[in-house]
Amino acid sequence: GAVVSQHPSRVICKSGTSVKIECRSLDFQATTMFWYRQFPKQSLMLMATSNEGSKATYEQGVEKDKFLINHASLTLSTLTVTSAHPEDSSFYICSASVSLNTEAFFGQGTRLTVV
Amino acid sequence: GENVEQHPSTLSVQEGDSAVIKCTYSDSASNYFPWYKQELGKGPQLIIDIRSNVGEKKDQRIAVTLNKTAKHFSLHITETQPEDSAVYFCAASSNSGGYQKVTFGIGTKLQVIP
């Protein structure tokens, strides 16, 4: 299958700082990228959907000013957690798909710990 | 919106036995149903998928069935091995606002006992 690379895999940051997570599709062009959040022993919760070149669409309850998403190219999307707080600590996962009705491939995930 | 229910939440089987995980969905517009395997600390990996125009699909020890009328689909793993131990997620996908939206089940923790 296609490869989606997510970086970093783990990050620890201080409360109040911002952290950026990158999601890259390595061998295909991703028209659409998705960002998920996963709490321990729970399912993936969709945070937002980003289409290349346009603004991200956020799910209800997700603060767009706190979780900034940029999808500047067909191979890269970034999620920036601004002014991070301990409650933002979670496992963040991206996925990417070529187009509608095609499977989404997941990155390895990023374990964010805010101290 | 779509609602996907998955059960059981945990499943223990003896090595060599079969494991079955079942999911139901609510949105009749969903047309793509992937299954993911997630190992601890890693992102989900697609293991098999099925589209709404197909009733069954098999890939070696893994098979998926889909009943569109009843809106349920199932994952079957035969001859289970310890390395099959992981959390499995079902998902239902549909086109929403011009893009594909995937809704996940809550996951099933499968333990294969050697």
Side-chain angles (χ1 to χ4, degrees), chain A:
Chain A
V3 179
V4 175
S5 176
Q6 193 171 334
H7 177 81
S9 58
R10 288 178 177 270
V11 59
I12 300 173
C13 71
K14 290 185 177 180
S15 187
T17 61
S18 296
V19 61
K20 180 185 286 188
I21 303 169
E22 291 187 348
C23 180
R24 293 180 184 272
S25 56
L26 298 186
D27 51 2
F28 68 100
Q29 293 186 322
T31 303
T32 306
M33 288 188 172
F34 305 87
W35 287 96
Y36 296 86
R37 185 172 181 176
Q38 187 179 33
F39 291 104
K41 299 183 181 180
Q42 294 190 25
S43 189
L44 293 85
M45 299 301 296
L46 180 65
M47 297 174 66
T49 303
S50 71
N51 289 301
E52 185 268 337
S54 60
K55 290 184 178 180
T57 302
Y58 289 80
E59 295 299 302
Q60 191 172 10
V62 178
E63 299 176 59
K64 62 179 180 181
D65 295 330
K66 181 168 183 61
F67 299 100
L68 301 178
I69 291 172
N70 184 281
H71 192 165
S73 76
L74 285 171
T75 59
L76 174 65
S77 176
T78 59
L79 167 67
T80 301
V81 183
T82 63
S83 187
H85 291 283
E87 54 265 33
D88 297 325
S89 299
S90 190
F91 195 52
Y92 292 87
I93 307 172
C94 71
S95 71
S97 62
V98 173
S99 63
L100 295 176
N101 289 323
T102 59
E103 56 264 48
F105 297 94
F106 284 80
Q108 310 96 310
T110 297
R111 172 74 61 194
L112 170 64
T113 303
V114 184
V115 298

